[in-house]
Amino acid sequence: MIDDADDLTPEEELGELLETLVEAFGVDADVVLSEGDGVLRGAVEGPGAEALVGDDGAIIEAVQHLAQRIVLRGASGLRVVVDAAGYRGRREEALRAEADRVADLVLNEGREIALRPMPAAERRFLHEYLRERGDVATHSEGDEPRRRLVVSPGV
């Protein structure tokens, strides 16, 4: 990493961080950066990129958390999303399927259902997805790291 990180843009800092991790993991992968709609995205792509995902996305979630802390210190109005080997897209598809299954169950049984604990980003994604669906309500309860999304019949 460059010693004088204060001179780097958030995009350059994210690139440096991800390049350092790719090198540290010894994987054959490229770092691709993009920015739009207030989101700075960093993706690790290539045959070795899956190594940065980890079991149940644990490594990529930790990398994203670190990237947010390092890259965004002092920057406001920007969000950082880090992906590897297309994990985020696959995960979002699985979350949508789980959300639809649970929402249908909630509507059929007329009772609320709490999902398993999940990271804040996944809870946020499900809140937004189910709000757009419009027939169920959601809220979060519990304390980190056991915080969970609760789905209840719509109001």
Side-chain angles (χ1 to χ4, degrees), residues 15-16 19 33-34 36 43 62 66 75-76 96 105 108 130 137 149-150:
E16 288 283 329
E19 289 288 349
L33 303 172
S34 64
L66 286 172
S76 62
R96 278 191 286 275
L105 192 58
N108 287 334
L130 289 171
L149 183 85
V150 179

Side-chain angles (χ1 to χ4, degrees), residues 52-117:
L52 273 81
V53 174
D55 293 336
D56 295 326
I59 295 173
I60 200 67
E61 289 298 333
V63 168
Q64 180 167 304
H65 180 77
L66 286 172
Q68 288 171 334
R69 296 285 186 193
I70 293 169
V71 173
L72 297 182
R73 66 178 183 273
S76 62
L78 191 62
R79 194 165 62 98
V80 174
V81 174
V82 177
D83 192 11
Y87 170 77
R88 297 259 179 232
R90 292 189 311 274
R91 184 68 186 134
E92 286 178 1
E93 189 60 37
L95 287 170
R96 278 191 286 275
E98 180 180 6
D100 285 333
R101 182 186 59 76
V102 170
D104 291 343
L105 192 58
V106 162
L107 293 171
N108 287 334
E109 294 184 3
R111 66 177 179 87
E112 69 179 32
I113 297 176
L115 282 73
R116 61 178 169 58

